[in-house]
Amino acid sequence: AQTVTQSQPEMSVQEAETVTLSCTYDTSESDYYLFWYKQPPSRQMILVIRQEAYKQQNATENRFSVNFQKAAKSFSLKISDSQLGDAAMYFCAYRTSGGSSNTGKLIFGQGTTLQVKP
Amino acid sequence: EPEVTQTPSHQVTQMGQEVILRCVPISNHLYFYWYRQILGQKVEFLVSFYNNEISEKSEIFDDQFSVERPDGSNFTLKIRSTKLEDSAMYFCASSENRVGKNIQYFGAGTRLSVL
């Protein structure tokens, strides 16, 4: 069974600085997807970034980028120029390939709470 | 921008009562999901639904739970006889699930409090 591990329960960063959140996963599949979701205090789950396992190029979305190391099964999130609004819980998630209908459930890590200091 | 809508935002119920959590997925999506997050814990998969039937369910999704798509727009999660441990945030998500379009979009969640 696939597992996702986030080993940093809490992280803090100074406003305008860069922070990296770690995520590792375990799978025997060769084709899958990885996601980072942000959960602010409102508890809404907001997609931050997505990475397809077959793509070698790391995904980027504005100030957010990932370091995807497929062989090491590592998928870290880098937030550049951190802003106060980035403060939230961040979840790493793995999408299974699913069954014959390919619905693909998400498997989440435990989450990392990011504090941004002014 | 289209979004997943969940109602109510907060539901308080007595232990043993039935609750129905409602979701309106994004209109052109065909795949629907329910997840649960107990306070302070990670988000857990409950069930996925496609073509009017359950595609996959987790161990959490026992006989007390059921899902239904009663019409063309709503997707519901029913808990027949709530227990204290059912208190959690319940998230609905939907997806197109085509190649390159497999992002799951989440609703804002329903906080269920079982007393």
Side-chain angles (χ1 to χ4, degrees):
Chain A
Q2 296 87 2
T3 59
V4 178
T5 302
Q6 293 178 250
S7 58
Q8 306 155 315
E10 295 179 359
M11 292 283 284
S12 67
V13 63
Q14 207 68 36
E15 195 176 5
E17 297 293 307
T18 296
V19 65
T20 298
L21 308 183
S22 301
C23 173
T24 58
Y25 59 94
D26 190 25
T27 184
S28 58
E29 296 180 327
S30 59
D31 190 21
Y32 49 87
Y33 301 85
L34 296 164
F35 304 86
W36 279 97
Y37 280 88
K38 170 184 177 181
Q39 187 181 46
S42 66
R43 298 189 76 181
Q44 169 99 44
M45 294 289 287
I46 303 165
L47 178 70
V48 175
I49 199 165
R50 175 184 68 162
Q51 175 79 44
E52 292 91 339
Y54 63 85
K55 288 187 178 178
Q56 293 187 334
Q57 186 174 9
N58 289 322
T60 62
E61 285 288 341
N62 301 313
R63 297 182 295 107
F64 299 87
S65 61
V66 299
N67 183 5
F68 173 50
Q69 302 288 328
K70 190 172 184 179
K73 297 178 182 174
S74 170
F75 181 61
S76 60
L77 174 69
K78 185 170 84 170
I79 306 174
S80 304
D81 186 25
S82 297
Q83 300 175 359
L84 295 177
D86 295 333
M89 177 85 93
Y90 287 81
F91 289 97
C92 176
Y94 173 102
R95 180 189 178 272
T96 68
S97 59
S100 56
S101 60
N102 198 28
T103 58
K105 69 183 179 187
L106 290 173
I107 299 169
F108 287 87
Q110 302 92 324
T112 296
T113 300
L114 177 66
Q115 181 185 24
V116 181
K117 298 177 181 177
Chain B
E1 185 176 320
E3 60 181 22
V4 176
T5 305
Q6 288 187 245
T7 54
S9 57
H10 189 196
Q11 175 85 50
V12 181
T13 190
Q14 295 291 325
M15 189 170 58
Q17 294 296 304
E18 174 184 286
V19 294
I20 297 176
L21 310 183
R22 303 183 191 278
C23 170
V24 178
I26 295 173
S27 61
N28 63 333
H29 288 186
L30 300 176
Y31 298 84
F32 314 116
Y33 311 83
W34 283 102
Y35 293 85
R36 180 181 83 174
Q37 184 185 30
I38 295 171
L39 186 63
Q41 298 186 21
K42 66 179 176 181
V43 179
E44 301 172 289
F45 168 77
L46 289 178
V47 65
S48 58
F49 191 87
Y50 168 70
N51 201 26
N52 284 320
E53 60 183 22
I54 291 173
S55 300
E56 186 177 0
K57 58 183 181 179
S58 71
E59 294 175 352
I60 303 167
F61 195 88
D62 60 23
D63 292 344
Q64 292 298 315
F65 291 88
S66 62
V67 288
E68 193 178 32
R69 188 154 164 82
D71 52 42
S73 59
N74 289 283
F75 178 52
T76 62
L77 173 69
K78 182 194 290 187
I79 309 175
R80 274 183 255 286
S81 178
T82 50
K83 305 171 196 167
L84 294 176
E85 54 264 38
D86 292 329
S87 294
M89 194 78 160
Y90 289 81
F91 292 101
C92 173
S94 71
S95 169
E96 288 183 77
N97 216 49
R98 293 184 290 115
V99 173
K101 298 283 186 181
N102 58 7
I103 296 171
Q104 291 182 27
Y105 293 90
F106 284 76
T110 292
R111 179 151 54 110
L112 177 64
S113 300
V114 182
L115 307 178

